[in-house]
Amino acid sequence: TRISASLKSGHLREGLDASPRGDEAPAAAAEEDKGESNKVLVCARCHSLRHYGRVKRPDAERLLPDFDFVAAVGPRLASPSGARSVVLLLADASDFDGSFPRAVARLVAAAGEAHRKDWKHGAPANIPRAVLVVTKLDLLPTPSLSPDDVHAWAQSRARAGAGANLRLAGVHLVSAARGWGVRDLLDHVRELAGVRGNVWAVGARNVGKSTLLNAIARCSGVAGGPTLTEAPVPGTTLDVIKMDSVLGAQAKLFDTPGLLHGHQLTSRLTREELKLVQVSKEMRPRTYRVKTGQSIHIGGLVRLDIEELTVGSIYITVWASPLIPLHMGKTENADTMMKEHFGLQLQPPIGQERVKELGKWVRKQFKVSGNSWDANSMDIAIAGLGWYGIGLKGEAMLGLWTYDGVDVISRSSLV
Ligand code: GDP
């Protein structure tokens, strides 16, 4: 990706006042073409791709600079120009809390609050609108879920991530792969943007943004217009891109670079490891009935210990990629499992030396209570990986082990 090329093209300037990224890339490699005026700056990964045909360093993904939406788009959200601002907050149905762009959501919520306070001075139409878009809905076991429940659940999770003052102008459940909800979303965005509004699509890397925007463009009937690259590797969209004509003659739709969420496990994994972790088909539950003193591993990535139980047993359902092996055994053997099997039988990580690279192995405790074995009472979700659904009648103390810095949260149950 030629960063300078897009800077020159004017796309960026039309969408943004300044670009805070790209040039400061920590791993950026500057290249100079023969012509003086044609300096090209490429990121380290593109450099590797061009010169070696592959990403040389497995951690190159992580070294790409993050896109600073707050600095780049923030000032325009509050712009007094009269143009409406709409921000599409994308979250992946299979990793909602990990992928939800909470910093951007907080920014939009704060900008909205500021505008509401200023109503008497300005036009209400200027209030930036946030629309929550839950992508990849086809990955959830949709036949057993009610859309209304998912809708309410997503809205409450968005508030949990962004704060209670986040007001959503809409919640859309979509699957670009299946074409679900794309038309409704397009109609709603057009209505919110009005004749000359600005719409920004924001999401973590790999949330499915390019696929969705292409589906929206197709739905809008833009023939031969610019389509975005759908990435086999996460994070391939590196610039803010304006998509012409999708929303009408003057309203503008902008694609923004995928956000790098360090709290998602995926941000630490190599491309080969990602293939094992990323879910591509409808998720299938794997359920265990376990007792105090037992543990369930998801590959060499996380482990859940049943530390104390007020009842005899508890049902644990693992929702994660079917390509990751699970292991249930005694907690007293867990250290040996880690030393001898992480990176080998329990992948990812791929290779024992990767275990240390993923970080310090740390525990977080959760107290869970429930009153049914049939329905899960609670989820313990691991950002970038999936979740454990917990079903019990009584109380339990659980210990969740994973690599330091990976977000682990408990939440009301989704499935
Ligand atoms: P971006 O990084 O946010 O632009 O994400 P992409 O659009 O490149 O998609 C990332 C991955 O998710 C790709 O492997 C896509 O094929 C996949 N994907 C995107 N949308 C969907 C969807 O609606 N359903 C499913 N199952 N997979 C999707």
Side-chain angles (χ1 to χ4, degrees):
T1 304
R2 295 182 171 222
I3 292 172
S4 64
S6 69
L7 281 169
K8 275 185 217 141
S9 73
H11 283 165
L12 203 63
R13 265 179 236 129
E14 257 183 83
L16 305 168
D17 295 320
S19 164
R21 58 179 294 284
D23 311 283
E24 292 122 35
E31 290 187 359
E32 217 164 308
D33 278 3
K34 296 257 154 39
E36 266 274 305
S37 61
N38 205 11
K39 271 190 189 165
V40 175
L41 184 70
V42 297
C43 76
R45 187 182 58 172
C46 296
H47 179 86
S48 288
L49 278 171
R50 184 189 297 178
H51 292 280
Y52 310 104
R54 65 190 171 91
V55 178
K56 223 171 57 162
R57 300 182 52 179
D59 58 355
E61 289 296 336
R62 281 193 281 145
L63 298 178
L64 286 175
D66 195 11
F67 174 63
D68 191 349
F69 184 96
V70 174
V73 182
R76 286 182 58 96
L77 289 180
S79 124
S81 69
R84 293 184 187 178
S85 292
V86 181
V87 179
L88 307 180
L89 303 166
L90 272 59
D92 182 334
S94 67
D95 182 29
F96 190 96
D97 297 87
S99 63
F100 180 68
R102 55 199 182 197
V104 175
R106 281 189 207 122
L107 172 83
V108 180
E113 284 294 293
H115 271 245
R116 266 182 282 277
K117 282 193 189 130
D118 266 9
W119 257 18
K120 46 186 187 299
H121 308 300
N126 255 352
I127 289 181
R129 307 296 174 94
V131 174
L132 176 62
V133 183
V134 184
T135 62
K136 306 189 194 177
L137 201 71
D138 58 294
L139 296 180
L140 297 182
T142 40
S144 57
L145 293 173
S146 113
D148 285 350
D149 288 351
V150 180
H151 199 280
W153 181 90
Q155 189 154 347
S156 82
R157 292 316 306 158
R159 293 235 170 82
N165 65 351
L166 175 68
R167 302 202 188 180
L168 293 169
V171 178
H172 289 260
L173 310 179
V174 306
S175 161
R178 302 282 181 87
W180 299 344
V182 176
R183 160 63 59 190
D184 274 3
L185 175 62
L186 173 61
D187 288 347
H188 192 197
V189 169
R190 278 185 171 151
E191 186 191 318
L192 289 171
V195 182
R196 53 191 196 90
N198 293 320
V199 180
W200 284 278
V202 185
R205 294 179 186 179
N206 212 43
V207 74
K209 189 156 48 61
S210 313
T211 310
L212 177 64
L213 293 178
N214 281 335
I216 288 178
R218 275 196 301 275
C219 190
S220 77
V222 177
T227 46
L228 301 167
T229 315
E230 287 165 39
V233 217
T236 323
T237 315
L238 289 172
D239 296 302
V240 172
I241 299 170
K242 180 166 151 267
M243 299 181 71
D244 288 317
S245 324
V246 173
L247 301 179
Q250 289 181 60
K252 300 182 197 90
L253 174 61
F254 297 105
D255 182 22
T256 63
L259 302 170
L260 178 63
H261 282 171
H263 57 265
Q264 283 181 300
L265 240 178
T266 32
S267 70
R268 312 180 179 197
L269 302 182
T270 64
R271 208 196 300 196
E272 290 308 308
E273 290 165 347
L274 283 173
K275 284 185 193 159
L276 300 176
V277 167
Q278 277 161 359
V279 188
S280 59
K281 289 203 190 81
E282 183 183 312
M283 298 175 97
R284 299 241 175 254
R286 287 181 276 178
T287 301
Y288 296 84
R289 184 178 168 176
V290 283
K291 296 181 168 55
T292 307
Q294 292 186 312
S295 300
I296 299 174
H297 286 89
I298 307 181
L301 296 175
V302 292
R303 173 182 122 208
L304 183 70
D305 296 346
I306 317 304
E307 297 182 356
E308 282 172 48
L309 273 183
T310 58
V311 282
S313 59
I314 176 171
Y315 287 90
I316 307 283
T317 302
V318 175
W319 295 90
S321 158
L323 301 179
I324 311 181
L326 306 182
H327 178 268
M328 199 267 279
K330 289 186 182 163
T331 305
E332 63 190 48
N333 298 332
D335 284 344
T336 319
M337 290 299 298
M338 186 167 191
K339 273 193 211 97
E340 295 179 6
H341 301 293
F342 274 31
L344 299 172
Q345 286 91 341
L346 288 176
Q347 292 189 340
I350 299 177
Q352 285 183 301
E353 69 289 352
R354 287 278 298 138
V355 179
K356 276 208 183 68
E357 285 174 27
L358 287 182
K360 202 171 146 209
W361 190 240
V362 294
R363 181 183 71 154
K364 193 168 170 183
Q365 275 188 314
F366 293 91
K367 194 169 181 179
V368 181
S369 60
N371 51 20
S372 167
W373 277 305
D374 302 329
N376 287 331
S377 323
M378 214 171 208
D379 291 342
I380 295 182
I382 305 100
L385 179 67
W387 67 95
Y388 291 96
I390 320 283
L392 87 163
K393 258 183 181 170
E395 289 193 351
M397 183 61 86
L398 307 174
L400 190 293
W401 291 83
T402 190
Y403 300 98
D404 199 15
V406 173
D407 254 18
V408 181
I409 53 132
S410 65
R411 63 184 190 194
S412 64
S413 175
L414 170 61
V415 183

